[in-house]
């Protein structure tokens, strides 16, 4: 099991949060372009930041239950 106090947990969590923020930003841009969602740049960044924060909180909540920041992920030791 991986605790949030291991050296691999935080880099994996940061990567996950970054991916989540980027995916949310791209999705909000696409939805805005398609006319499905009407948001400005500040709102898009707020959505992306909120999604990243939720990814970090999810990783913390599931720490100690699996081998990574998520229930189905593993963290490699980088030596």
């Amino acid at each position: 099991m991986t605790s949030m106090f291991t050296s691999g947990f935080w880099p994996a969590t940061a990567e996950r949060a970054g991916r989540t923020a980027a995916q949310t930003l791209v999705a909000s841009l696409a939805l805005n372009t398609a006319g499905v969602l009407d948001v400005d740049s500040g709102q898009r960044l707020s959505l992306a930041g909120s999604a990243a924060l939720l990814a970090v909180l999810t990783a913390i909540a599931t720490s100690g239950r699996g081998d990574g920041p998520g229930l189905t992920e593993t963290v490699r030791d980088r030596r």
Side-chain angles (χ1 to χ4, degrees), residues 19-67:
R19 282 192 320 250
T20 300
Q23 290 166 349
T24 304
L25 188 59
V26 169
S28 67
L29 284 167
L31 291 171
N32 191 52
T33 301
V36 176
L37 185 67
D38 186 24
V39 292
D40 61 27
S41 297
Q43 292 170 323
R44 278 194 287 275
L45 291 174
S46 179
L47 281 170
S50 297
L53 176 62
L54 288 173
V56 171
L57 293 175
T58 299
I60 291 170
T62 58
S63 71
R65 296 192 182 132
D67 291 327

